Amino acid sequence: MITRIIRAPRPNTIALLLRRMPPEARKQVEDTHFDAIGLIQMDLPSLFYYTDIGQKAGNVIAVEIIGNCPQHVNTVALLGSNEAVNAAVTAIHTAEKQK
């Protein structure tokens, strides 16, 4: 698992991210303000599992990032406040350690 948190993302970073989102997800987030982006990359079954854990732990919007190898590795962006993204990523790390 690879995780990264971007705090106070710059407009160009957000534009880069928006280009890699499916159109329906892009519509959901392009007019939404968020303070942080949590990026999680792993195999697809784990990604679904940990995305659910992250959303339950923090008030985040989860969006699939397209352009990775969908058979083996994929990425999800968790968008929200700094606190919500921290809570989501922390919960994911805790669950990963417990397996």
Side-chain angles (χ1 to χ4, degrees), residues 63-83:
V63 179
E64 182 181 10
I65 303 303
I66 54 177
N68 296 340
C69 177
Q71 292 84 8
H72 303 290
V73 177
N74 214 331
T75 302
V76 69
L78 303 172
L79 312 168
S81 68
N82 282 309
E83 296 81 13

Side-chain angles (χ1 to χ4, degrees), residues 85-98:
V85 171
N86 282 340
V89 172
T90 298
I92 290 167
H93 279 266
T94 300
E96 173 74 6
K97 289 177 186 175
Q98 293 176 349

